[in-house]
């Protein structure tokens, strides 16, 4: 079945159904890992390592509607970095104690984990914003969006 850029099958659109809320884990993982547009999955959502395009180059979906709408992705990225540090600490501290080398390893891991996990966290946040209906094309009719 052919999909329109909004992610809704033409037959579903005729019935007024929208599959964003039920897009599935596979689509979420694909768009999070690849950094692609959650609506069409054809183009990269990122214009640089961390900066999003204003709109999708392929389907025209506007990614950021309000200033600060991606602050949640910062929290998710830092949360993932903290989980990484906790896992490191639970493995290394019981074996080696809290030595200067272990602390230096934790600082080094934090310096690497925060920037490394921010892009996937931002892509994941973008997917959730799309699934909730906050990310859509500017010309989409109000009945075609959620929220």
């Amino acid at each position: 079945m052919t999909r329109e850029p909004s992610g809704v099958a033409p037959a579903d659109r005729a019935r007024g159904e929208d599959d964003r809320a039920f897009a599935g884990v596979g689509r979420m993982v694909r768009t999070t890992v690849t950094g692609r547009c959650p609506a069409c999955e054809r183009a990269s959502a990122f214009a640089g390592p961390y900066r999003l395009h204003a709109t999708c180059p392929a389907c025209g979906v506007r990614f950021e509607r309000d200033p600060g709408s991606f602050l949640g992705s910062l929290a998710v990225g830092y949360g993932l970095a903290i989980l990484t540090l906790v896992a490191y600490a639970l493995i290394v501290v019981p074996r080696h104690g809290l030595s200067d080398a272990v602390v230096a390893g934790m600082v080094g891991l934090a310096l690497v984990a925060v920037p490394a996990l921010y892009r996937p966290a931002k892509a994941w946040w973008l997917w959730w914003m799309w699934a909730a209906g906050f990310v859509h094309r500017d010309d989409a009719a109000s009945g075609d969006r959620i929220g």
Side-chain angles (χ1 to χ4, degrees):
M1 185 180 297
T2 311
R3 294 271 176 200
E4 291 181 358
S6 67
V8 179
D12 293 340
R13 182 168 302 283
R15 290 191 306 261
E17 295 178 16
D18 191 331
D19 70 344
R20 285 184 284 194
F22 304 102
V25 174
R27 185 178 194 140
M28 178 186 62
V29 170
R30 276 192 315 274
T31 59
T32 298
V33 170
T34 63
R36 296 208 170 276
C37 171
C40 69
E41 297 184 64
R42 292 181 293 181
S44 176
F46 289 90
Y50 302 111
R51 188 173 60 87
L52 288 173
H53 287 288
T55 60
C56 174
C59 69
V61 165
R62 179 164 301 282
F63 295 131
E64 189 169 3
R65 296 236 162 248
D66 302 312
S69 62
F70 280 96
L71 289 176
S73 65
L74 281 171
V76 170
Y78 284 123
L80 290 172
I82 289 170
L83 287 175
T84 303
L85 288 172
V86 167
Y88 174 83
L90 289 174
I91 293 168
V92 175
V93 171
R95 293 181 185 171
H96 303 287
L98 197 57
S99 66
D100 289 342
V102 170
V103 171
M106 290 178 73
V107 169
L109 181 60
L111 291 174
V112 171
V114 170
L117 293 171
Y118 179 65
R119 183 179 166 119
K122 193 167 189 175
W124 180 77
W125 191 261
L126 177 62
W127 185 88
W128 278 109
M129 296 281 287
W130 170 79
F134 295 111
V135 172
H136 52 79
R137 289 192 323 266
D138 287 336
D139 61 353
S142 61
D144 292 342
R145 346 182 252 251
I146 300 170

